[in-house]
Amino acid sequence: MEISDILVPAVILLAIVLWAWALLDLSKSRFKSGRANLIWLSIILFSPVMGSILYFQLKKGYTERRPRQFQPKFN
């Protein structure tokens, strides 16, 4: 049993998890424009590994920040 017998399936599994995580996060994110959502979806679908990495690195500039849901008042 060689190291590649374990390493290759592990890398493939990590790539699938990263891709699924990016798609899930994309569906939950609120983008400033609807076109940006479609562009990111196509980038992630056609280039799963690099598209997912780029999405997580660059999404902050394209999404709107949501106010916190729970805002306690301690007065």
Side-chain angles (χ1 to χ4, degrees):
M1 187 156 147
E2 295 182 26
I3 188 101
S4 64
D5 293 339
I6 297 170
L7 191 61
V8 171
V11 169
I12 291 171
L13 181 65
L14 285 174
I16 291 170
V17 168
L18 179 68
W19 182 66
W21 184 21
L23 288 174
L24 181 67
D25 189 69
L26 180 72
S27 69
K28 291 181 178 181
S29 295
R30 290 177 37 192
F31 285 89
K32 294 177 183 175
S33 71
R35 182 175 289 173
N37 192 356
L38 290 174
I39 291 170
W40 278 116
L41 179 63
S42 63
I43 290 171
I44 293 171
L45 287 178
F46 293 120
S47 166
V49 176
M50 284 305 296
S52 299
I53 292 171
L54 284 174
Y55 169 72
F56 285 120
Q57 292 296 316
L58 302 174
K59 79 170 187 171
K60 194 175 218 179
Y62 296 98
T63 57
E64 295 177 346
R65 298 229 9 160
R66 295 181 186 160
R68 291 181 60 177
Q69 295 291 332
F70 179 65
Q71 297 179 352
K73 296 180 181 175
F74 294 109
N75 294 335

